[in-house]
Amino acid sequence: MASYGFFDDTHREYVITRPDTPLPWINYLGSEAYFGLISNTAGGYSFYRDARLRRITRYRYNNVPLDYGGRYIYLRDDDTTEFWSPTWQPTHHELESYTCRHGLGYTVIGSTCHGIKAGILYFVPLGESLEIWQLSLTNLRESPARVSAFTGVEFCLWDAQDDAANFQRNLNIGEVEVDDGVIYHKTEYRERRNHFAFFACSEPLVGFDTQRDLFLGPYRGWDRPTAVERGQSFNSIAHGWAPIGSHHLWLELEPGETRQIIFLLGYHENPDEEKFDPAGSLTINKRTVRPIIARYLRPENVESAFAALRSYWDGLLKSLHVETPDLHTDRMVNIWNAYQCMITFNMSRSASYFESGMGRGMGFRDSAQDLLGFVHMVPARARERILDLAATQLDSGGAYHQYQPLTKRGNDQVGSGFNDDPQWLVLAVAAYLKETGDETILDVSVPYDHRSGSEQPLYEHLQRSLHYTLERLGPHGLPLIGRADWNDCLNLNTFSSAPGESFQTATHRDGKVAESVLIGGLFVLAARELAAIARWRGLEADALRYVDEAARMEAVLLRHGWDGNWFLRAYDDLGQKVGSHECVEGQIFIEPQGICPLAGIGLHDGRAEKALAAVKDNLATPNGIVLLQPAYSHYYLQLGEISSYPPGYKENASVFCHTNPWIMIAEAMVGHGDQAHDYYIRINPSAREAISDVHRCEPYVYAQMIAGRDASTPGEAKNSWLTGAAAWNYAAITQWILGIRPTLTGLEIAPVMPTNWSGFKAQRVYRGVTYHISVERAGPGNSVSLMVGGRSVAGQVLPLPPAGQAEVEVRAVLR
Ligand code: GLC
Ligand code: GLC
């Protein structure tokens, strides 16, 4: 197997050592409003807040060659006329050395070619709407070098979807200005937009280009632009067609000399009444943006912005740090899994190399679950996220499946009526309360569907979430599934036979028959969480009511949702079982075997252990636990999209990494630390680094799926980065296997770790207190005795220290 790089844990970087990774291995820039995706060869694009509506640079998905279009720099030896890109793409010129360091919020790509060493640091300063490219060039030759540097970005005409489709208009509207060495992209600024992009450089220019076809030349690509080849820009001004930004600089480097050059690519908005300067003209008013450009063209400000970014990440990651006997656990928990959780916080499912940034907005269900992975790092922003989500909830308690980040309004593009959605809101709020203890959130008055006048306390929203399910029960008393439940592709009311019809929006049945065992389990889990919250707040009557409802649903599940050796998955519209040993295919599904035990179902009567044994026997593979078996070998009209996928891919029996942690947690709940950690390691990206040729996606983040045993490429991952796998794996390892678990009343310490671990250490910042935890194994079991500050305490939940005490020493002994 080839090696493509290594983890540098000290610097919290993944270092890629050859440019031709099996797929582009990407990173994210930006943390609040301005974001970029950047691959190991400088491919990718940037956007402001909304990847579809405010796309700054253009990117062509599914392009050939792969990953073509990005943040390019060309270097040209003006004596020999030879040119190359220090990031390998787009010229593919051979490099004498190459490394790409993906760090937290930044990427550095460096290489040497013809005795010129180049390094480019890309990052977005905190609080700013711009990205910095800091280029450093060193002449390693023994003689002076005369080098031209060219940049190249292609602007997107803002709405990425329209940009990729509406050519009859868009080829006419492109507009730019070039002023004082700064390239401004201002398409549509003349009328309804008050924003523009800018591309600036710290050096005086010898030329520039803004018209793509002139810069590249007819029928040429980014690999050999005419301007670069001939060593001279055209000073072109784009009118229509395809606006780009390209600077041209001349540099003379003495032997051993190093030069730093700064490029800024940014987004800026002007107040509506001050768009133009002079007023009445169509020229951009640049008075508001010039100071920002000037600030970041100064190297000392770039240095301090970079230092600030690094300490921002130090601050986020220090909320949990562990030292266990397992390197892959440490690396993912301490660095990459936490980082990925923050990326899902920022992106939801909108923009990755598998999500085009045009389709899915913020998912209701997805965002609610992502919160499990970042609430301890950014509690205040998690609070805001919860309130945003709740404000898109419908009066019925149901939810839009998605909302647009720019407007925060729900949209129906992928349908609504996914009947599991509302329950995730309850789980998200429970996670927030357990982390922060901030019960004031429950009293915040939040509208339904953004309608003013409809405001109700958040607590009432949660109650409606539960009632939504109770008001939608099917023939067996189980929850009706609606369009689908967690499994988007189990479309039991769709019956789609028309090509191109969306499985998620078409409905050919009235939805009164098909039921979901998964939603049943999820309801029990959510109802028990809400009961605990109610009790904690002193609302005993509510608590009893939800305890009761949960028990009633549990009884129904045991009666109609148990197949003998595992939990059933569903009943379809014909009243037939899905996920039963009676089925020809799809006899056992992973989801209910995880969620039901998580809800406490089957924990005391042996059913949970039985179901988990069935998972082990039927679903576990070396690459992780597949979603179902046997895979569907053909299309079943009554089951929907799930059976549209070839066996082993996606919901049809791939290893769906999001659901594996449910099994890990269930295994931990029944006390099987070895099994839980074994499953954890099977899909841990770092543990799979050695098989990068098979896995193919980035070895530092989870992918949505790994092809299952029925696939022709088992072990091959797809859809990296934006997946609920990040949050759930983080929750499984930190809260259940390591057992450091927030509760409403304090931090619980209940590890269920592998038997051969002698212990581990952890530091956890929780409600403002830093807990220094040391866990020791004194026996093979999972029973915990706790000592706090040298004194033993009863139970597993740490008492909150007296006010003013910021550090607590905890010793936990397992027997
Ligand atoms: C995708 C969706 C998620 C869904 C899962 C299973 O990951 O983002 O919402 O639960 O697929 O269909
Ligand atoms: C989820 C599923 C995918 C499906 C999509 C529909 O992402 O993983 O298979 O097409 O939802 O929205």
Side-chain angles (χ1 to χ4, degrees):
M1 290 264 173
S3 158
Y4 297 91
F6 59 92
F7 285 91
D8 178 346
D9 294 335
T10 314
H11 295 101
R12 297 194 300 223
E13 291 173 337
Y14 190 81
V15 185
I16 301 167
T17 49
R18 49 187 280 189
D20 55 339
T21 45
L23 291 168
W25 285 0
I26 74 160
N27 192 15
Y28 285 84
L29 311 175
S31 21
E32 281 146 89
Y34 185 104
F35 294 104
L37 288 71
I38 183 163
S39 72
N40 56 308
T41 57
Y45 60 92
S46 298
F47 61 92
Y48 178 75
R49 288 192 193 277
D50 188 312
R52 173 172 159 199
L53 298 176
R54 292 280 197 284
R55 184 80 62 99
I56 294 164
T57 50
R58 192 174 269 170
Y59 188 78
R60 292 172 188 77
Y61 278 84
N62 212 353
N63 201 4
V64 280
L66 199 57
D67 190 29
Y68 203 54
R71 301 172 178 82
Y72 292 147
I73 289 178
Y74 301 86
L75 298 176
R76 178 178 187 275
D77 185 327
D78 286 332
D79 292 318
T80 65
T81 77
E82 204 157 344
F83 65 92
W84 67 95
S85 18
T87 54
W88 191 61
Q89 289 249 63
T91 63
H92 291 190
H93 191 294
E94 203 175 318
L95 300 168
E96 287 138 34
S97 70
Y98 159 92
T99 50
C100 167
R101 294 180 163 264
H102 283 319
L104 309 182
Y106 68 90
T107 287
V108 188
I109 305 177
S111 61
T112 306
C113 188
H114 298 303
I116 303 295
K117 185 173 161 213
I120 314 163
L121 163 67
Y122 298 93
F123 74 100
V124 175
L126 294 172
E128 299 291 355
S129 297
L130 58 87
E131 64 190 64
I132 293 174
W133 312 0
Q134 188 186 39
L135 168 67
S136 110
L137 287 179
T138 305
N139 179 8
L140 303 178
R141 302 175 186 172
E142 261 143 34
S143 53
R146 293 195 312 131
V147 176
S148 273
F150 292 85
T151 54
V153 296
E154 184 170 5
F155 293 111
C156 179
L157 309 186
W158 304 117
D159 178 338
Q161 184 153 304
D162 192 69
D163 184 72
N166 191 7
F167 304 108
Q168 60 79 28
R169 170 177 164 83
N170 292 338
L171 296 178
N172 297 290
I173 62 174
E175 286 191 303
V176 299
E177 285 177 31
V178 180
D179 183 62
D180 199 17
V182 183
I183 294 166
Y184 295 89
H185 172 233
K186 61 165 191 175
T187 300
E188 291 188 340
Y189 188 77
R190 58 166 57 234
E191 15 108 24
R192 291 165 299 172
R193 295 185 186 274
N194 67 348
H195 46 263
F196 56 87
F198 56 90
F199 192 26
C201 168
S202 60
E203 301 290 305
L205 304 186
V206 294
F208 63 85
D209 273 301
T210 66
Q211 185 63 280
R212 187 186 68 201
D213 291 355
L214 269 169
F215 176 74
L216 295 182
Y219 296 93
R220 286 178 175 229
W222 291 95
D223 56 332
R224 46 182 201 111
T226 301
V228 177
E229 194 175 85
R230 70 174 197 164
Q232 200 188 334
S233 296
F234 293 89
N235 298 343
S236 58
I237 296 290
H239 298 283
W241 297 112
I244 60 159
S246 173
H247 309 101
H248 177 199
L249 352 165
W250 274 335
L251 305 162
E252 298 216 357
L253 297 167
E254 293 304 319
E257 185 185 350
T258 296
R259 287 280 288 280
Q260 304 270 0
I261 299 133
I262 298 161
F263 301 97
L264 305 178
L265 176 63
Y267 168 96
H268 191 72
E269 287 175 5
N270 269 338
D272 278 335
E273 50 306 338
E274 292 170 38
K275 276 171 64 172
F276 303 106
D277 183 23
S281 74
L282 287 179
T283 309
I284 299 175
N285 167 13
K286 305 181 185 76
R287 277 168 296 156
T288 55
V289 75
R290 270 194 198 114
I292 301 171
I293 295 177
R295 179 171 342 135
Y296 288 103
L297 288 180
R298 299 235 302 274
E300 64 274 22
N301 294 335
V302 171
E303 302 300 335
S304 61
F306 188 57
L309 179 69
R310 298 212 71 157
S311 59
Y312 167 78
W313 280 105
D314 289 344
L316 292 180
L317 296 190
K318 81 164 192 265
S319 41
L320 175 62
H321 186 90
V322 304
E323 285 166 53
T324 76
D326 178 53
L327 175 68
H328 304 300
T329 301
D330 289 4
R331 179 179 279 160
M332 291 310 290
V333 170
N334 295 337
I335 308 171
W336 292 99
N337 195 178
Y339 181 57
Q340 187 179 2
C341 287
M342 284 304 299
I343 301 299
T344 64
F345 166 71
N346 287 328
M347 297 289 132
S348 190
R349 301 294 171 273
S350 73
S352 72
Y353 267 26
F354 298 84
E355 297 281 4
S356 68
M358 301 183 205
R360 306 212 259 163
M362 312 281 287
F364 189 92
R365 168 210 295 146
D366 291 334
S367 297
Q369 289 173 82
D370 291 347
L371 197 125
L372 297 174
F374 60 72
V375 61
H376 64 298
M377 292 186 274
V378 285
R381 298 176 78 192
R383 184 181 208 265
E384 196 183 319
R385 177 63 53 82
I386 287 172
L387 298 175
D388 285 349
L389 282 171
T392 68
Q393 194 176 20
L394 303 167
D395 298 77
S396 62
Y400 287 104
H401 199 46
Q402 303 192 326
Y403 71 99
Q404 280 317 117
L406 211 55
T407 60
K408 297 190 172 176
R409 304 256 163 172
N411 75 50
D412 264 332
Q413 266 171 31
V414 288
S416 55
F418 292 80
N419 281 349
D420 64 314
D421 271 336
Q423 305 313 329
W424 299 109
L425 181 64
V426 181
L427 300 184
V429 173
Y432 174 78
L433 293 172
K434 291 175 188 175
E435 181 63 35
T436 61
D438 166 28
E439 58 176 313
T440 65
I441 194 175
L442 295 168
D443 300 321
V444 177
S445 169
V446 187
Y448 291 93
D449 196 7
H450 275 268
R451 222 182 41 257
S452 72
S454 67
E455 292 81 1
Q456 293 265 337
L458 179 65
Y459 181 71
E460 164 78 22
H461 282 252
L462 304 185
Q463 293 182 301
R464 285 204 198 179
S465 287
L466 293 189
H467 294 153
Y468 179 87
T469 298
L470 292 175
E471 285 157 13
R472 285 167 184 74
L473 300 178
H476 299 91
L478 289 164
L480 292 169
I481 195 167
R483 287 200 189 283
D485 57 24
W486 171 88
N487 191 325
D488 277 334
C489 299
L490 197 59
N491 315 119
L492 302 182
N493 292 298
T494 302
F495 287 75
S496 177
S497 56
E501 186 172 64
S502 158
F503 285 104
Q504 272 78 33
T505 54
T507 315
H508 299 298
R509 289 296 184 277
D510 65 6
K512 300 222 166 76
V513 180
E515 299 167 295
S516 162
V517 171
L518 170 72
I519 301 179
L522 202 57
F523 173 85
V524 175
L525 181 58
R528 289 185 170 148
E529 293 282 16
L530 195 57
I533 292 168
R535 181 155 294 144
W536 179 59
R537 298 199 92 199
L539 303 170
E540 196 53 33
D542 284 2
L544 289 176
R545 187 152 117 238
Y546 297 128
V547 165
D548 239 44
E549 295 294 1
R552 234 197 308 273
M553 183 68 78
E554 176 170 11
V556 175
L557 282 163
L558 293 179
R559 184 131 178 247
H560 297 293
W562 178 251
D563 194 53
N565 285 307
W566 56 74
F567 293 97
L568 266 181
R569 182 62 178 82
Y571 289 92
D572 68 18
D573 181 69
L574 311 166
Q576 295 167 350
K577 293 174 181 172
V578 180
S580 160
H581 71 285
E582 296 163 23
C583 302
V584 178
E585 299 184 320
Q587 295 176 341
I588 171 170
F589 280 64
I590 192 173
E591 303 100 313
Q593 326 312 332
I595 289 292
C596 290
L598 256 68
I601 303 164
L603 284 184
H604 305 295
D605 60 9
R607 280 184 169 96
E609 295 204 47
K610 225 173 186 182
L612 291 170
V615 167
K616 186 173 178 183
D617 293 344
N618 297 285
L619 302 179
T621 79
N623 290 306
I625 310 166
V626 298
L627 195 144
L628 64 90
Q629 282 289 290
Y632 294 112
S633 61
H634 62 270
Y635 180 52
Y636 293 78
L637 187 66
Q638 74 276 18
L639 299 181
E641 186 172 358
I642 191 167
S643 58
S644 76
Y645 287 114
Y649 294 98
K650 295 283 284 180
E651 279 85 343
N652 189 12
S654 80
V655 175
F656 221 86
C657 295
H658 181 140
T659 55
N660 280 228
W662 297 346
I663 301 299
M664 299 168 203
I665 296 172
E667 290 285 4
M669 288 176 119
V670 299
H672 300 161
D674 285 323
Q675 188 62 72
H677 195 259
D678 170 17
Y679 287 148
Y680 171 73
I681 284 298
R682 292 187 203 199
I683 63 167
N684 177 302
S686 161
R688 298 176 62 78
E689 185 197 22
I691 54 161
S692 285
D693 276 327
V694 174
H695 185 81
R696 303 188 76 217
C697 280
E698 297 92 332
Y700 39 91
V701 291
Y702 287 94
Q704 181 199 56
M705 60 150 270
I706 298 172
R709 61 156 73 111
D710 305 286
S712 56
T713 54
E716 181 187 42
K718 288 200 191 100
N719 200 354
S720 52
W721 284 97
L722 304 184
T723 159
W728 275 109
N729 277 282
Y730 191 80
I733 184 70
T734 62
Q735 298 189 18
W736 295 93
I737 299 176
L738 302 179
I740 304 172
R741 190 156 65 238
T743 72
L744 292 172
T745 51
L747 197 60
E748 182 170 2
I749 309 294
V752 183
M753 65 185 193
T755 38
N756 66 3
W757 282 17
S758 56
F760 67 89
K761 289 197 171 12
Q763 259 190 61
R764 175 70 155 87
V765 183
Y766 178 71
R767 301 193 189 177
V769 178
T770 303
Y771 291 89
H772 304 272
I773 304 161
S774 126
V775 175
E776 292 153 39
R777 187 177 277 304
N782 302 309
S783 79
V784 186
S785 348
L786 286 184
M787 312 256 287
V788 176
R791 290 225 299 273
S792 69
V793 298
Q796 301 187 152
V797 178
L798 298 171
L800 291 171
Q805 188 181 338
E807 313 268 327
V808 174
E809 297 289 332
V810 180
R811 192 168 154 236
V813 179
L814 294 193
R815 287 196 174 80

